[in-house]
Amino acid sequence: MATSRALRALAYLESRKNLWGSACGLLGLGLTVAGVAGTYWPAVVAGLYGAGALVAPPERTAPPPFPGPAEQLDLVREDLGRLRGYVAEVELPPAAEGKLSELLDLYAALLDPGWPAQVLAAEPEAVHSLARAVRLDVPECVDTYNRTRWWTRLTPGGESPERHLERQLALLSEEAERLTAELQDREALRQQTHTAYLEGRRES
């Protein structure tokens, strides 16, 4: 209980209300020294302190500490490991299995703790896109294939679930390749910009 009161008191001392009130109270002391406040100086100082505390801006509530890009990539890397474990237990057609393996290898390369991840961490939209693919798109493709395949056994006919799965994985692969190309282009542009900067500095 005593510790709680001490913490509250310390928090008030550091609050904007106290800081603004103290500043106005110091103004009251200045008026007292100047002879303006007279014998009522305690009331003037207290009144100015209270006025300062009233007009002080509200305390700013700090936003919650969300994980930064590097921490987000660590989480996505862990999720990719779980996704690999899930996929390993699912029976897939050979063509789709090979395509999925290549796709997951590409995700792993982008999430490599070395420079690829550093480049990726600088692009929040790219991090979001990769996280969505690992956490939502790929698991949904595989799960939908499994469920659809089961119904197809009961009611054969129509386009095969295998064909849909292969098409979905092909689209995700194209998306991952575009993401990789965009990151490479941005790195190349960053290198060109730095070269131009060094050349300009030499000429100046």
Side-chain angles (χ1 to χ4, degrees), residues 106-107 109-110 115-116 119-120 123 126 129-130 172-190 192:
L106 180 54
Y107 291 159
L110 288 169
W115 69 266
V119 176
L120 184 62
E123 304 293 340
S129 177
L130 185 56
L172 287 175
S173 295
E174 291 173 7
E175 183 180 82
E177 289 166 1
R178 281 198 306 270
L179 174 60
T180 303
E182 289 172 4
L183 293 175
Q184 289 174 336
D185 290 343
R186 287 170 188 169
E187 275 300 284
L189 178 60
R190 188 176 290 115
Q192 294 169 8

Side-chain angles (χ1 to χ4, degrees), residues 162-174:
E162 289 80 6
R163 184 174 180 82
H164 279 289
L165 176 61
E166 290 172 13
R167 179 59 181 153
Q168 291 165 2
L169 294 176
L171 292 171
L172 287 175
S173 295
E174 291 173 7

